[in-house]
């Protein structure tokens, strides 16, 4: 097939609406939910701040612009391998050194929304993934895998989104075995709709925080606080998740997008 012709056809399908673009990102602002860590363990990311430079006034008569204060892992964001100690030594593991080709790929959407609604501590297992593959087809090398839980619908409230009490946060995510299984399939990366790529109870797993520890150890990527996964098919969509090219960046807020067949 003529690749140039194929790209032209894709462009035409985008213009006609036959290929639809789905926004998978939450708004980024002062009310964006951010992870809360025990103070004896770590320092938290500061709240997002948006400061005005000018707005058609004496500081800039014909233009408006702002400056921002935000953490790399705020809102819908990308986790680079160097975000975690297990991936710290990869020279191509920062946001400015990862090949751009790696930000785009087919996406597999594993729907766990019913299970997460019934149990906020629901954990995705290897058996769940194998059952999904039996129904929808194999997860292939170089593809994204994301866990749909509809958790993004809580994103308007930090308390509901974090869902924490005296025993800790209660949010769905993968088991360590599930992450290891996906790595064995040579996936591009793993994504979730929760505040981070791990389950709320992941600190007590072995290893702790396996979606971070194992994915980044394997030089793979993470996506967190994704939205609108309920608008994607189980297979057949293309995910675009490009971080800002921050020098030595461990991650970045992103405008994650998916290309799907329009209706």
């Amino acid at each position: 097939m003529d690749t140039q012709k194929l790209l032209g056809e894709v462009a035409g399908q985008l213009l006609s609406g036959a290929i639809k673009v789905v926004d998978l990102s939450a708004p980024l602002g002062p009310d964006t939910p951010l992870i809360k860590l025990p103070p004896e363990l770590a320092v938290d990311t500061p709240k997002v701040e948006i400061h005005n430079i000018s707005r058609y006034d004496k500081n800039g008569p014909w233009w408006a612009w702002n400056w921002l204060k935000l953490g790399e892992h705020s809102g819908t964001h990308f986790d680079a391998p160097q975000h975690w100690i297990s991936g710290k030594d990869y020279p191509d593991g920062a946001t400015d050194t990862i090949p751009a080709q790696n930000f785009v790929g087919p996406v597999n959407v594993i729907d766990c929304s019913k299970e997460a609604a019934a149990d906020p501590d629901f954990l995705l297992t290897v058996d769940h993934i194998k059952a999904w593959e039996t129904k929808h087809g194999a997860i292939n090398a170089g593809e994204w895998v994301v866990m749909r839980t509809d958790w993004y619908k809580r994103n308007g409230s930090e308390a509901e989104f974090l869902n924490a009490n005296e025993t800790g946060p209660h949010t769905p995510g993968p088991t360590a075995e599930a992450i290891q299984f996906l790595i064995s399939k040579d996936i591009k990366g793993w994504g979730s709709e929760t505040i981070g790529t791990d389950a709320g109870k992941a600190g007590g797993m072995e290893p702790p925080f396996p979606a971070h520890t194992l994915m980044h150890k394997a030089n793979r990527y993470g996506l967190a606080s994704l939205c609108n996964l309920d608008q994607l098919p189980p297979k057949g969509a293309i995910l675009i998740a490009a971080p800002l090219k921050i020098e030595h960046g461990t991650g970045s807020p992103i405008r994650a997008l998916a290309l799907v067949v329009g209706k």
Side-chain angles (χ1 to χ4, degrees):
M1 181 180 290
D2 186 328
T3 305
Q4 192 64 46
K5 182 180 178 181
L6 176 62
L7 281 175
E9 291 177 353
V10 170
Q13 298 293 312
L14 281 165
L15 290 172
S16 71
I19 294 178
K20 178 183 174 184
V21 180
V22 179
D23 188 353
L24 305 182
S25 303
L28 187 64
D31 295 325
T32 294
L34 298 172
I35 195 166
K36 296 292 182 289
L37 300 169
E40 66 275 10
L41 176 65
V43 175
D44 280 330
T45 291
K47 288 184 71 66
V48 175
E49 297 179 14
I50 302 176
H51 297 275
N52 176 261
I53 300 173
S54 71
R55 194 163 188 84
Y56 328 114
D57 53 28
K58 62 182 178 61
N59 294 324
W62 301 318
W63 56 84
W65 53 357
N66 303 311
W67 67 270
L68 310 177
K69 176 181 176 181
L70 72 163
E72 293 174 319
H73 301 267
S74 301
T76 304
H77 66 272
F78 181 100
D79 287 350
Q82 288 187 13
H83 173 46
W84 217 250
I85 191 170
S86 56
K88 67 182 179 66
D89 294 324
Y90 285 110
D92 60 348
T95 55
D96 60 334
T97 57
I98 297 169
Q101 187 83 15
N102 294 0
F103 302 140
V104 182
V107 60
N108 301 274
V109 183
I110 302 178
D111 185 359
C112 305
S113 55
K114 291 182 180 178
E115 293 86 347
D119 177 12
D121 286 318
F122 171 75
L123 297 177
L124 180 72
T125 67
V126 173
D127 286 343
H128 291 127
I129 298 171
K130 288 181 176 179
W132 183 92
E133 287 188 296
T134 298
K135 184 175 181 180
H136 299 291
I139 295 169
N140 300 308
E143 296 182 342
W144 289 102
V145 178
V146 297
M147 181 178 177
R148 174 192 163 189
T149 57
D150 291 351
W151 203 261
Y152 79 93
K153 296 177 181 179
R154 297 169 172 250
N155 201 289
S157 164
E158 185 172 81
E160 290 184 17
F161 198 58
L162 299 182
N163 198 38
N165 59 20
E166 65 280 357
T167 63
H170 298 276
T171 56
T175 63
E177 293 77 16
I179 290 296
Q180 193 61 64
F181 177 69
L182 292 173
I183 291 170
S184 75
K185 300 179 78 66
D186 199 21
I187 68 167
K188 187 182 299 292
W190 162 262
S192 74
E193 293 182 326
T194 54
I195 196 75
T197 55
D198 273 296
K201 59 170 65 173
M205 294 181 180
E206 183 55 46
F209 307 106
H212 287 81
T213 301
L214 299 176
M215 275 287 163
H216 299 324
K217 182 179 180 180
N219 204 17
R220 299 299 189 269
Y221 317 119
L223 303 174
S225 295
L226 292 168
C227 299
N228 300 322
L229 295 182
D230 50 353
Q231 295 184 33
L232 305 188
K235 268 187 169 290
I238 301 295
L239 176 61
I240 304 167
L244 296 172
K245 200 169 183 177
I246 301 168
E247 288 188 14
H248 313 297
T250 70
S252 166
I254 57 173
R255 187 70 176 266
L257 304 172
L259 304 182
V260 301
V261 176
K263 295 182 180 178

